[in-house]
Amino acid sequence: MEAGLNIIVGLLTIRISIDYRTVCDIAGKGITDEKSLIEAIRQGVELAPKN
């Protein structure tokens, strides 16, 4: 899993965060990357209201 996300729907605001388990599995190993963060931003933009 390279880009796991948690997305909560039904709130007044969009809530997206990177997958906590993914972070715990690689913490302290010097192998982190930005893929989950970038995907979270992409999904936020995709889900945001278009006015």
Side-chain angles (χ1 to χ4, degrees):
M1 180 184 310
E2 293 181 3
L5 301 176
N6 293 310
I7 301 174
I8 299 175
V9 296
L11 303 175
L12 295 176
T13 59
I14 298 168
R15 185 189 184 287
I16 301 174
S17 63
I18 61 171
D19 187 35
Y20 180 72
R21 180 177 169 94
T22 302
V23 174
C24 289
D25 290 345
I26 62 176
K29 296 181 182 177
I31 58 172
T32 59
D33 63 39
E34 70 285 352
K35 290 177 185 166
S36 290
L37 175 61
I38 291 171
E39 187 59 27
I41 293 168
R42 283 185 188 150
Q43 290 296 319
V45 170
E46 190 70 26
L47 293 171
K50 312 292 191 264
N51 293 334

